Amino acid sequence: MTRANLLAVSVGNTRTRVGAYVDGKLVESATFINERHTRVMDSVKDAARPLRDHAEAPVVMSSVNPAVSSQMETELQGLGRPLYRVERDLPIPIGRQLDPEALVGEDRLLNAAGAFDVLKQAAVIVDAGTAMTVDLVDGAGTFHGGAILPGAQLMLDSLTQRTALLPEVELSRPTETVGHSTVEAMLSGVYYGQRGAVRELVERFADAAGQYPLVVATGGDADLLFREWDLVDRIVPDLTLMGLEVTLRVALERGREES
Ligand SMILES: Nc1ncnc2c1ncn2[C@@H]1O[C@H](COP(=O)(O)OP(=O)(O)OP(=O)(O)O)[C@@H](O)[C@H]1O
Ligand SMILES: CC(C)(CO)[C@@H](O)C(=O)NCCC(=O)O
Ligand SMILES: [K+]
């Protein structure tokens, strides 16, 4: 089996995740806020340190944020490694059943590819990031799309921005289900609203799929929202990076078959 060496870079809406894979294992990872751009490049170099003896190991990059990634791509070229963008240079190895003209976020496809590579069975993948996505992969490894909704912090921010009296609130677990203060009521609404959305969508997707899928969660808010909740089978913080690793690994295996 191929054991890939790579620097995986996933540019999200708010943050960028970086991971160094040595012999197919994630040995270093870091997350940075996109705005702190110069610091990000310093930290990317730190994260790449385990790959110093693997000069041939490429950067494999994905993005759902073109403004951030176009500049970052130019800077990543400076590492002196081959640089591949998923979908442009390397196809994400997951089947798709979508509208012909559909443009799906690379993060959603990578999560699906990363999950199916390990699970090999039908799964619902929940990414609790800036936006929340809830997607269905069937038992044959085909991505069917799913649902997109505001993420938890975005829900809170939109309440603050679009009302006169609601305050700025930082996301945390509510201490009360029936909120006895404005802040507790907002936290209860968002926390149980997000969980409720996930429960409803998982049940509906299970109906559509004709089987009960595994539920896998990832993203910056997954732990806060889903920890110790039996509806979610696994929380996998590095799922998007796993998708980047399998993308390179499959491309290397295909290249080997062809030569
Ligand atoms: N230091 C932090 N800065 C910003 N958001 C954070 C931080 N720590 C946790 N979070 C939470 O992470 C969420 C964003 O998740 P994430 O980083 O997965 O989003 P993203 O940038 O959209 O990434 P992706 O598109 O890859 O999912 C926010 O809603 C926030 O509550
Ligand atoms: C839905 C988000 C914002 C989730 O990060 C991202 O995957 C994206 O911008 N997608 C493009 C549209 C789509 O996936 O249908
Ligand atoms: K996201």
Side-chain angles (χ1 to χ4, degrees), residues 8-74:
V9 180
S10 160
V11 181
N13 287 290
T14 311
R15 302 196 290 174
T16 292
R17 271 163 239 262
V18 185
Y21 278 88
V22 176
D23 293 334
K25 286 210 175 64
L26 184 64
V27 294
E28 183 89 55
S29 73
T31 306
F32 318 102
I33 296 173
N34 289 337
E35 271 99 69
R36 309 217 185 112
H37 190 72
T38 48
R39 296 253 302 279
V40 168
M41 281 313 296
D42 284 348
S43 309
V44 166
K45 283 180 191 151
D46 285 347
R49 224 177 279 149
L51 289 161
R52 64 187 170 276
D53 297 331
H54 299 275
E56 80 301 339
V59 178
V60 181
M61 184 182 184
S62 68
S63 170
V64 293
N65 194 336
V68 172
S69 53
S70 58
Q71 200 189 333
M72 203 180 285
E73 183 175 347
T74 310

Side-chain angles (χ1 to χ4, degrees), residues 13 107 127-131:
N13 287 290
D107 52 354
D127 190 332
T130 310

Side-chain angles (χ1 to χ4, degrees), residues 172-202:
S172 62
R173 278 191 165 198
T175 57
E176 315 171 318
T177 309
V178 181
H180 288 82
S181 68
T182 305
V183 170
E184 279 298 318
M186 289 168 72
L187 290 174
S188 177
V190 168
Y191 178 83
Y192 292 108
Q194 294 262 310
R195 281 187 172 215
V198 171
R199 188 194 300 280
E200 180 77 11
L201 289 164
V202 167

